[in-house]
C-alpha cells in the first residue's frame, strides 16, 4: 500500500520532533492539516443579567461567540437545545448565561446540571465558582455539587439553599428522585436542566438515563402544576416551563438523540451545530511503529473458539472507574510466523518524552490503565538522563486514582508544572484542560467521536495543535493508518439508545411508581402508551406492581431504584490498600479486579510498583506491598458460553432447512485461571502460576445460528477456512445489528466456534451484554433474514481485499481480529441465506 510522502517541516514545527528530523519519517503514513478558523463574535443578549455579563467580562470574555448567543437565546426562550460543537468551543457559557440570569431574577429559578462523571461536575463547579465570585453586585447564585460522596450536613444545605446543583445521573436515580420530598424546593423552581457530554449517553446506559430524565420531568410537573411537559415552541411571557440543554461533542443527528434523551420529538429541539469559536491550525498525523528486526513471533491460528467482541475489551468512555484492561497478544507455539512491530505503548512513550524535552505540553491517550502507567514510566525513564528533574514533569492519570490525586494532576497540567500526562479515556470528557500543544492517541479509541474528542484537546482556544494517532499492532489500526479516508472522511457515529426497551423500561417504571403512583395520563411520558401498558401488565402479573383503579403502585419495602443498574458496573469496586500503612491507593472496578489485582499481581500507581499480597473478594479489598520489581504480570482468562435450557425464559427456535436458529438464555462464563510474569522491557516469560479464583457468569439472552458441516463444505468453506469465516460473520453481524435493534455495538458480545457442545455444529452467538438481556438478541432473532442479508451485503460491498473495519474487523475483538476470512464469510452467509424463507415464521 503506497503511503503519502513525509510532510514538509513547515506544516508543524513539532512534526520535526516526532520524526527526529527525518530519521523516523518513514513511520508517518499520512498527514492532514486542518486550517485555522477565525472566531465570530456577537453582542451580549439584551435579556442577560448585567451582573453575570460583568462577571464574564472580568474573566476575560469581552464578547461571546455567535453560536453561544444563538444557543443562549433559544434556552432563554424555553426551547430544548442540542448544543453540538467542537471541544473547547465554550459550550458552558451558552447554558450558564441564561441559567444564572434566571436564578438572579425576582422570581428566582433553580437549575440542575448533570454530567456522566464526578470529575466533570467538580471541574464545572470550579469554573462556575470563579464566575459567581466575579459578579459585582447583588445576591450571588449559590452553587454546589451533590453526589454520593457529599456528607449529610452538606447535602442538607444543598437541599435547603442551593440555586444550582451539579450532580450525575446515578445520584438523580438512586437518591434525589426517590427522596424527592426533600428536594421539593429545587423541583418547584426548576427552570433548566443541563445534560453535559450528551454523546456519552448511549446504549443501555443512555436508555436508562433517558427514562430517569422523564421521571424528573414528571416530578417537576407534580411540584409545579402549571408545568407543560409537551413544550413545542417558545412559551408565552412569564411561562416557567422546564427546558433541557444537552451539550455534546459533534455527533450525527444531535436533535434526534437529544429529543430521544429528554422525551420530545426532534422537531421540538433547536440544534446549534455551527461552531463560531476560533480554532488554530491543527495537524493530524497517522503513525505506524516500525517492524522489529531480528526475531519472529508466533500468532494464534484460531482453531479454538474465538470468544471475542467482549463488551469489556475496551474502556468505557462514560466512567474513568470502568476502564478495562487492554487485551494482550495471544501466545502460542503454532501459527504462521510474522515480524512484529514495536508496540504502540513503547512508541508513544518515546514521542511523549521527545515532546516533553522540547517543552511541548502533551496528553497521551492510551486504551488501558496499564498502558497509561507504562507510557508515563517509560517516558520518565527516557527523560531522567536528559536533565535533572525533567522526569518529574511527566505523570499518569487514570480511573481508580483518588479524587484529590486527579484534581492535583489536572491543576498541575493546567499550570504547566506537568508537561506530559499519559491518560486513559478519563480525560476524554469535558474536564477543562486547555493550552495543550500536542495529543498522542495510542491505539484506536473505538469510535470517531472519541478520536475527535481526544484530538480536540490539542490547540484549544485558537492555538495551533498537533495530533498523532499511533497504531497498535492490530489489523484494525493498521488499516486506519493506511486508509486515511476511513479516519478523516467517514461520517461520525450517531448516539444510539432505545428508551422503549422493555428490559430497561420495566425497572424504571417501578422506580417511577414508587416516587408517585403511575396514572394513565402519565404513560405517554415514558413512550408509546400501549407499549408501556404492556410492560405494566407484565409487572403486575409478576407481583412487582399492584394495579388499582387510580393507577399502578409499588408496594414493596425495598427501593425500586435498586432494580436498575444504570451503568452495568458489575458490583462494588475493589479498594487497593497498602498493607503496611492502611493507605488507600485507589480502586479497581469489580469486573477487572480478578485480572488486575489477583494474588501476585504487579500494581503500578504513579510509577511506584506494588505487589498484591492478597485479594479478598469478600471484603472487596486488595492488600498490596511496596516492592521494586523488574517484571509485569499478565493474567489469562478462559471464557465459554452455554445455552441455559432452564433459564429465565424458554429457548425457542426455528429451522431454515438445515440451518437452525435459536433464541434464549445463555450463561457467559469467564474465569481468570493463571498469570505470567514477564521481564520488562523485553517481555521474556519468567514463569506462569495458577490462580484459584471464582468464575464469573453473566446470565443473559443470546441469538444464535448453527450450520452443519455439509453446508460449510457445500459453500466451499474448508476446515482451515471455517474459523475465519465464522469469526468474520460474527463481527459483521454485531456491527449491523444496531441498525435494526436501536442499540450500540458496545451493548453486544459474541462468540463463534466450529463445534459448540450444545448445538453439535458450527455456531455463531450474539448476546446482550447485560444481565437478563436487553432485548437486542430478540430483535436479531425476529429479523434474522434481514439481519444476515444486510451483514452479507456489507461484507461483499466493501472494496477492501481481505477485510477491514468497515466490514469484518472489530474495534473490541479479544482475539486481535484473528483469524478472519472475508471471502469465506461471504460464501458462508450466501449458503445460510439460501435456506431462508421469504417471510420466516417467528416461534415464541
Amino acid at each position: 500500500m503506497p503511503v503519502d510522502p513525509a510532510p514538509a517541516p513547515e506544516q508543524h514545527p513539532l512534526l520535526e520532533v516526532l520524526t527526529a528530523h527525518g530519521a523516523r519519517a518513514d513511520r508517518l503514513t499520512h498527514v492532514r492539516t486542518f486550517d485555522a478558523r477565525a472566531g465570530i463574535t456577537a453582542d451580549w443578549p439584551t435579556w442577560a443579567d448585567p451582573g453575570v455579563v460583568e462577571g464574564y467580562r472580568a474573566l476575560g470574555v469581552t464578547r461571546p461567540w455567535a453560536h453561544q448567543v444563538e444557543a443562549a437565546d433559544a434556552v432563554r426562550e424555553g426551547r430544548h437545545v442540542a448544543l453540538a460543537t467542537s471541544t473547547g468551543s465554550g459550550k458552558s457559557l451558552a447554558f450558564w448565561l441564561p441559567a444564572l440570569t434566571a436564578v438572579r431574577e425576582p422570581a428566582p429559578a433553580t437549575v440542575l446540571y448533570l454530567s456522566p462523571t464526578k470529575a466533570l461536575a467538580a471541574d464545572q463547579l470550579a469554573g462556575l465558582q470563579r464566575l459567581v465570585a466575579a459578579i459585582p453586585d447583588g445576591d450571588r447564585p449559590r452553587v454546589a455539587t451533590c453526589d454520593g460522596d457529599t456528607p449529610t450536613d452538606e447535602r442538607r444545605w444543598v437541599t435547603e439553599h442551593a440555586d444550582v446543583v451539579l450532580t450525575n445521573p446515578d445520584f438523580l436515580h438512586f437518591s434525589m428522585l426517590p427522596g424527592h420530598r426533600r428536594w421539593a424546593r429545587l423541583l418547584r423552581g426548576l427552570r433548566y436542566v443541563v445534560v453535559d457530554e450528551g454523546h456519552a449517553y448511549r446504549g443501555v446506559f443512555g436508555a436508562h438515563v433517558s427514562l430517569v430524565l422523564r421521571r424528573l420531568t414528571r416530578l417537576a410537573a407534580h411540584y409545579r402544576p402549571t408545568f407543560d411537559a409537551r413544550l413545542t415552541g417558545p412559551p408565552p411571557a412569564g411561562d416557567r416551563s422546564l427546558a433541557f440543554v444537552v451539550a455534546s461533542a459533534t455527533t450525527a443527528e444531535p436533535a434526534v438523540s437529544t429529543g430521544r434523551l429528554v422525551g420530545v420529538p426532534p422537531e421540538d429541539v433547536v440544534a446549534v451545530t455551527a461552531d463560531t469559536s476560533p480554532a488554530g491550525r491543527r495537524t493530524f498525523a497517522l503513525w505506524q511503529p516500525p517492524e522489529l528486526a531480528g526475531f519472529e513471533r508466533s500468532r494464534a491460528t484460531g482453531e479454538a473458539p474465538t470468544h471475542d467482541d467482549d463488551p469489556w475489551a475496551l474502556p468505557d468512555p462514560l466512567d474513568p472507574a470502568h476502564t478495562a484492561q487492554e487485551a494482550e497478544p495471544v501466545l502460542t507455539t503454532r501459527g504462521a510466523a510474522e515480524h512484529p512491530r514495536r508496540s504502540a505503548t513503547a512508541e508513544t512513550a518515546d514521542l511523549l518524552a521527545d515532546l516533553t524535552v522540547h517543552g511541548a505540553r502533551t496528553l497521551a491517550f492510551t486504551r488501558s490503565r496499564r498502558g497509561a502507567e507504562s507510557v508515563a514510566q517509560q517516558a520518565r525513564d527516557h527523560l531522567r538522563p536528559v536533565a535533572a528533574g525533567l522526569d518529574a514533569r511527566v505523570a499518569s492519570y487514570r480511573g481508580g486514582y483518588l479524587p484529590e490525586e486527579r484534581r492535583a494532576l489536572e491543576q498541575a497540567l493546567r499550570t504547566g508544572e506537568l508537561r506530559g500526562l499519559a491518560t486513559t479515556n478519563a480525560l476524554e470528557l469535558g474536564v477543562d484542560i486547555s493550552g495543550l500543544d500536542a495529543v498522542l492517541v495510542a491505539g484506536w479509541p473505538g469510535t470517531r467521536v472519541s478520536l475527535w474528542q481526544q484530538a480536540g484537546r490539542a490547540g484549544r482556544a485558537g492555538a495551533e495543535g498537533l495530533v498523532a494517532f499511533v497504531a497498535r499492532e492490530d489489523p484494525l489500526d493498521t488499516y486506519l493508518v493506511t486508509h486515511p479516508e476511513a479516519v478523516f472522511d467517514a461520517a461520525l457515529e450517531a448516539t444510539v439508545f432505545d428508551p422503549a426497551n422493555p428490559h430497561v423500561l420495566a425497572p424504571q417504571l417501578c422506580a417511577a411508581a414508587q416516587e408517585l403512583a403511575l396514572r394513565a395520563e402519565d404513560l405517554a411520558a415514558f413512550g408509546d402508551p400501549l407499549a408501556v401498558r404492556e410492560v405494566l401488565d407484565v409487572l403486575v402479573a409478576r407481583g412487582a406492581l399492584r394495579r388499582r383503579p387510580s393507577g399502578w403502585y409499588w408496594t414493596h419495602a425495598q427501593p425500586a431504584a435498586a432494580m436498575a443498574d444504570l451503568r452495568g458496573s458489575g458490583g462494588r469496586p475493589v479498594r487497593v490498600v497498602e498493607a503496611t500503612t492502611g493507605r488507600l491507593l485507589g480502586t479497581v472496578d469489580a469486573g477487572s479486579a480478578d485480572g488486575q489485582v489477583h494474588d501476585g499481581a504487579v500494581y503500578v500507581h504513579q510509577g511506584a510498583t506494588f505487589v498484591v499480597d492478597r485479594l479478598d473478594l469478600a471484603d472487596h479489598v486488595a492488600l498490596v506491598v511496596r516492592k521494586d520489581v523488574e517484571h509485569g504480570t499478565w493474567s489469562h482468562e478462559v471464557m465459554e458460553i452455554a445455552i441455559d435450557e432452564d433459564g429465565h425464559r424458554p429457548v425457542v427456535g426455528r429451522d431454515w432447512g438445515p440451518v437452525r436458529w435459536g433464541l434464549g438464555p445463555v450463561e457467559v462464563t469467564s474465569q481468570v485461571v493463571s498469570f505470567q510474569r514477564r521481564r520488562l522491557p523485553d517481555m521474556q516469560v519468567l514463569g506462569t502460576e495458577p490462580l484459584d479464583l471464582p468464575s464469573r457468569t453473566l446470565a443473559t439472552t443470546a441469538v444464535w445460528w448453527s450450520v452443519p458441516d455439509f453446508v460449510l463444505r457445500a459453500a466451499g468453506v474448508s476446515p482451515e477456512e471455517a474459523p475465519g469465516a465464522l469469526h468474520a460473520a460474527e463481527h459483521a453481524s454485531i456491527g449491523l445489528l444496531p441498525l435494526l435493534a436501536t442499540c450500540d455495538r458496545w451493548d453486544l458480545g459474541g462468540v463463534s466456534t466450529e463445534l459448540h457442545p450444545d448445538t453439535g455444529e458450527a455456531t455463531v452467538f450474539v448476546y446482550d451484554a447485560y444481565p437478563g438481556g436487553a432485548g437486542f438478541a430478540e430483535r436479531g432473532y425476529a429479523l434474522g433474514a434481514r439481519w444476515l442479508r444486510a451483514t452479507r451485503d456489507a461484507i461483499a460491498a466493501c472494496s477492501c481485499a481481505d477485510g477491514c473495519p468497515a466490514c469484518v474487523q472489530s474495534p473490541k475483538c479479544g482475539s486481535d481480529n484473528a483469524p478472519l476470512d472475508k471471502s469465506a464469510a461471504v460464501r458462508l452467509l450466501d449458503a445460510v441465506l439460501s435456506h431462508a424463507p421469504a417471510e420466516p415464521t417467528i416461534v415464541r
Side-chain angles (χ1 to χ4, degrees):
M1 171 71 64
V3 298
D4 295 351
E10 61 267 25
Q11 282 189 292
H12 194 291
L14 290 180
L15 271 179
E16 284 201 17
V17 177
L18 294 188
T19 63
H21 299 279
R24 296 187 296 225
D26 58 339
R27 304 179 194 184
L28 280 174
T29 62
H30 183 81
V31 174
R32 185 168 297 192
T33 300
F34 297 87
D35 293 334
R37 179 183 67 232
I40 303 173
T41 61
D43 294 332
W44 289 99
T46 57
W47 51 259
D49 180 88
V52 176
V53 172
E54 285 305 310
Y56 273 113
R57 284 177 172 153
L59 297 178
V61 183
T62 56
R63 285 169 61 85
W65 307 121
H67 73 272
Q68 293 174 324
V69 174
E70 178 188 357
D73 281 340
V75 173
R76 175 65 177 180
E77 292 173 359
R79 305 293 300 272
H80 302 302
V81 175
L83 178 56
T85 54
S86 63
T87 305
S89 58
K91 290 187 280 286
S92 61
L93 184 148
F95 50 76
W96 290 134
L97 183 64
L100 296 185
T101 294
V103 167
R104 282 167 57 86
E105 288 177 336
T110 56
V111 179
L112 189 62
Y113 169 93
L114 301 173
S115 71
T117 66
K118 295 177 183 178
L120 179 53
D123 184 73
Q124 278 286 334
L125 176 66
L128 194 54
Q129 287 175 330
R130 288 192 296 270
L131 172 61
V132 168
I135 295 175
D137 63 316
D139 293 333
R140 292 187 173 94
R142 293 162 292 190
V143 301
T145 56
C146 193
D147 54 41
D149 297 333
T150 305
T152 302
D153 290 345
E154 290 183 26
R155 190 177 299 188
R156 186 178 301 114
W157 183 91
V158 173
T159 60
E160 294 175 356
H161 301 291
D163 302 309
V164 180
V165 177
L166 299 93
T167 186
N168 52 65
D170 309 81
F171 186 79
L172 192 64
H173 168 68
F174 287 111
S175 184
M176 184 180 291
L177 299 185
H180 58 88
R181 290 171 183 83
R182 295 191 300 272
W183 294 89
R185 182 194 62 85
L186 178 80
L187 293 168
R188 188 175 299 113
L190 193 59
R191 177 79 171 273
Y192 300 123
V193 176
V194 178
V195 183
D196 210 352
E197 302 294 344
H199 61 281
Y201 301 105
R202 54 176 175 76
V204 169
F205 178 55
H208 272 299
V209 172
S210 174
L211 294 167
V212 169
L213 294 180
R214 297 171 200 216
R215 286 162 50 201
L216 171 64
T217 297
R218 178 170 172 258
L219 289 174
H222 171 74
Y223 284 97
R224 189 176 60 229
T226 59
F227 172 77
D228 179 12
R230 297 164 298 174
L231 182 64
T232 57
D239 192 292
R240 306 286 290 175
S241 296
L242 179 62
F244 284 90
V245 186
V246 178
S248 171
T250 303
T251 60
E253 301 179 325
V256 173
S257 56
T258 292
R260 188 182 299 122
L261 187 65
V262 304
V264 299
E267 56 269 21
D268 293 349
V269 177
V270 177
V272 178
T273 57
D275 192 341
T276 59
S277 64
R281 186 179 65 167
R282 184 171 295 150
T283 301
F284 207 128
L286 303 184
W287 187 278
Q288 186 170 37
E291 287 188 350
L292 294 177
F295 66 92
E296 296 177 334
R297 186 180 71 196
S298 297
R299 302 287 292 192
T301 58
E303 287 101 331
T306 55
H307 306 290
D308 64 350
D309 265 294
D310 179 352
W312 299 283
L314 280 182
D316 182 350
L318 303 180
D319 190 341
H322 297 154
T323 303
Q325 187 172 354
E326 187 173 13
E328 296 298 330
V330 178
L331 303 179
T332 180
T333 57
R334 304 186 60 186
E338 65 174 26
H339 291 286
R341 291 187 179 273
R342 192 162 187 254
S343 75
T345 299
E347 193 80 353
T348 301
D350 280 3
L351 299 178
L352 178 60
D354 290 347
L355 290 166
T356 300
V357 168
H358 285 77
R361 289 206 280 176
T362 307
L363 273 183
F365 284 98
T366 69
R367 295 190 354 148
S368 69
R369 294 179 176 187
R370 184 200 296 270
E373 295 281 4
S374 180
V375 166
Q377 186 58 51
Q378 290 182 53
R380 286 191 291 261
D381 291 343
H382 295 324
L383 293 169
R384 199 167 288 115
V386 176
L390 191 56
D391 59 309
R393 308 292 295 273
V394 172
S396 57
Y397 182 107
R398 59 171 175 79
Y401 285 174
L402 300 180
E404 54 269 26
E405 290 180 302
R406 293 200 299 268
R407 300 294 83 75
L409 289 167
E410 293 161 11
Q411 181 63 20
L413 189 63
R414 290 190 188 101
T415 61
E417 179 184 346
L418 282 177
R419 289 186 190 171
L421 198 62
T423 178
T424 61
N425 57 336
L427 278 181
E428 180 182 315
L429 299 179
V431 176
D432 184 18
I433 303 293
S434 59
L436 298 178
D437 301 297
V439 163
L440 305 173
V441 182
W444 182 246
T447 65
R448 294 178 186 87
V449 171
S450 288
L451 180 71
W452 289 108
Q453 276 287 96
Q454 294 177 3
R457 297 294 188 183
R460 297 183 75 174
E464 187 172 7
L466 173 69
V467 183
F469 165 49
V470 182
R472 297 173 70 242
E473 192 191 359
D474 177 273
L476 187 153
D477 286 26
T478 301
Y479 176 87
L480 291 170
V481 295
T482 55
H483 292 76
E485 70 282 356
V487 177
F488 300 116
D489 303 324
L492 293 172
E493 300 88 354
T495 304
V496 180
F497 55 92
D498 182 13
N501 183 332
H503 299 271
V504 176
L505 181 59
Q508 291 292 339
L509 288 174
C510 289
Q514 184 177 30
E515 290 153 8
L516 291 173
L518 281 168
R519 316 295 183 190
E521 57 269 23
D522 295 331
L523 303 191
F526 294 93
D528 174 38
L530 293 178
V532 174
R533 181 65 180 264
E534 289 180 4
V535 174
L536 287 172
D537 289 345
V538 172
L539 291 171
V540 171
R542 293 178 178 177
L545 294 179
R546 184 170 297 172
R547 179 74 168 101
R548 291 290 182 264
S550 56
W552 291 264
Y553 292 80
W554 175 260
T555 58
H556 302 277
Q558 67 272 28
M563 296 175 60
D565 183 357
L566 267 59
R567 299 178 187 264
S569 56
R572 289 170 53 190
V574 172
R575 295 163 294 145
V576 181
V577 176
E578 190 171 16
T580 55
T581 65
R583 178 169 64 109
L584 177 65
L585 296 178
T587 60
V588 176
D589 62 283
S592 301
D594 288 1
Q596 291 189 11
V597 288
H598 53 77
D599 293 358
V602 175
Y603 179 82
V604 183
H605 183 86
Q606 285 291 1
T609 54
F610 299 80
V611 175
V612 179
D613 182 61
R614 183 167 61 91
L615 171 61
D616 188 332
L617 293 174
D619 290 336
H620 304 279
V621 63
L623 297 175
V624 301
V625 177
R626 174 74 177 91
K627 187 180 296 185
D628 291 323
V629 295
E630 296 182 352
H631 68 269
T633 51
W634 279 259
S635 61
H636 175 61
E637 182 179 60
V638 296
M639 190 175 179
E640 63 182 21
I641 189 169
I643 299 171
D644 185 6
E645 296 284 354
D646 301 317
H648 59 280
R649 56 178 296 167
V651 175
V652 297
R654 62 167 178 261
D655 293 327
W656 290 0
V659 177
R660 179 68 177 170
W661 279 82
L663 170 71
V666 296
E667 291 187 342
V668 183
T669 303
S670 60
Q671 184 179 19
V672 175
V673 295
S674 64
F675 73 97
Q676 283 185 341
R677 291 187 178 91
R678 301 183 196 169
R679 188 173 64 193
L680 300 174
D682 61 10
M683 302 295 287
Q684 179 180 335
V685 176
L686 302 176
T688 301
E689 290 194 23
L691 290 170
D692 183 18
L693 288 169
S695 59
R696 309 282 184 176
T697 299
L698 171 68
T700 184
T701 301
V703 56
W704 61 90
W705 46 272
S706 302
V707 185
D709 188 70
F710 75 84
V711 173
L712 289 171
R713 305 301 167 252
V717 179
S718 68
E720 294 75 23
E721 293 173 317
L726 293 161
H727 194 187
E730 173 211 329
H731 277 185
S733 62
I734 288 174
L736 268 292
L737 186 54
L739 300 179
L740 305 176
T742 322
C743 65
D744 188 284
R745 181 173 192 143
W746 306 90
D747 294 322
L748 306 168
V751 173
S752 57
T753 177
E754 285 182 274
L755 181 64
H756 193 273
D758 292 338
T759 65
E761 297 173 336
T763 307
V764 171
F765 291 86
V766 175
Y767 62 85
D768 298 341
Y770 295 89
F776 309 139
E778 291 181 61
R779 186 71 169 163
Y781 180 78
L783 299 173
R786 182 179 168 189
W787 177 26
L788 287 197
R789 285 194 185 98
T791 300
R792 184 267 176 206
D793 291 346
I795 300 174
C798 189
S799 60
C800 71
D802 301 314
C804 71
C807 56
V808 300
Q809 292 180 359
S810 168
K812 57 195 187 79
C813 177
S815 300
D816 283 340
N817 280 297
L820 292 174
D821 193 321
K822 174 183 176 179
S823 61
V826 173
R827 297 196 301 274
L828 169 63
L829 290 169
D830 281 338
V832 171
L833 287 165
S834 70
H835 298 286
E839 295 184 1
T841 302
I842 308 302
V843 180
R844 296 194 182 276

